[in-house]
């Protein structure tokens, strides 16, 4: 092949490469937009100093909270007792976690059986 034929192929290759790159960038952008609109399905709730933090959270049906005992010295518990569903974590040792999934709409109180004044309100829509 002569140099001329190589040069005449380059603009065509550039177009193909440009089209492929635009397609890839478009896919990444579309995927990023889709990921950004997904609901936050893991809500971390801290148990520390005989308090839940935060003390109020909003979820969608089927989402869950992860209750983490962030105290060094206290054992905690997390329980929900309603007509819709019940949950009891049992003892949550320091550093341990419990996951509570909310299967239905409603306003729910999550309490600590060890520290009765601890209360978390979960609004599920």
């Amino acid at each position: 092949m002569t140099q001329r034929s190589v040069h005449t192929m380059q603009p065509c290759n550039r177009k193909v490469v440009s089209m492929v790159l635009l397609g890839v960038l478009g896919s990444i952008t579309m995927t990023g937009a889709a990921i950004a609109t997904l609901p936050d399905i893991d809500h971390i709730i801290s148990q520390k100093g005989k308090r839940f933090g935060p003390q109020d959270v909003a979820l969608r049906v089927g989402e869950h909270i992860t209750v983490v005992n962030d105290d060094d010295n206290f054992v905690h518990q997390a329980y929900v007792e309603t007509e819709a569903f019940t949950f009891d974590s049992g003892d949550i040792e320091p550093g341990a976690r419990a996951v509570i999934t909310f299967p239905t709409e409603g306003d729910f109180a999550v309490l600590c059986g060890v520290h009765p004044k601890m209360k978390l309100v979960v609004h599920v829509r």
Side-chain angles (χ1 to χ4, degrees):
M1 291 185 123
T2 66
Q3 278 189 338
R4 184 167 185 229
S5 63
V6 170
H7 289 294
T8 58
M9 291 176 64
Q10 285 181 348
C12 181
N13 287 341
R14 285 184 190 153
K15 286 181 183 178
V16 170
V17 170
S18 296
M19 289 173 55
V20 169
L21 286 174
L22 284 174
V24 169
L25 290 174
S27 294
I28 291 170
T29 302
M30 296 283 286
T31 303
I35 291 171
T37 60
L38 291 175
D40 180 11
I41 57 173
D42 192 21
H43 303 272
I44 304 296
I45 307 297
S46 174
Q47 290 179 306
K48 187 170 178 97
K50 299 181 183 179
R51 296 182 63 145
F52 285 102
Q55 294 179 326
D56 193 276
V57 66
L59 307 177
R60 292 185 178 153
V61 173
E63 288 185 334
H64 65 271
I65 60 172
T66 301
V67 180
V68 181
N69 182 345
D70 286 324
D71 272 319
D72 293 330
N73 305 351
F74 294 123
V75 171
H76 288 290
Q77 179 193 25
Y79 73 91
V80 178
E81 194 170 306
T82 68
E83 289 181 21
F85 78 102
T86 59
F87 174 86
D88 186 342
S89 68
D91 288 347
I92 304 173
E93 299 290 332
R97 299 168 175 250
V99 176
I100 308 171
T101 301
F102 292 83
T104 186
E105 287 187 0
D107 295 317
F108 303 95
V110 179
L111 304 170
C112 176
V114 179
H115 305 102
K117 293 185 180 184
M118 289 179 67
K119 182 178 179 180
L120 164 68
V121 178
V122 180
H123 308 280
V124 182
R125 303 290 175 249

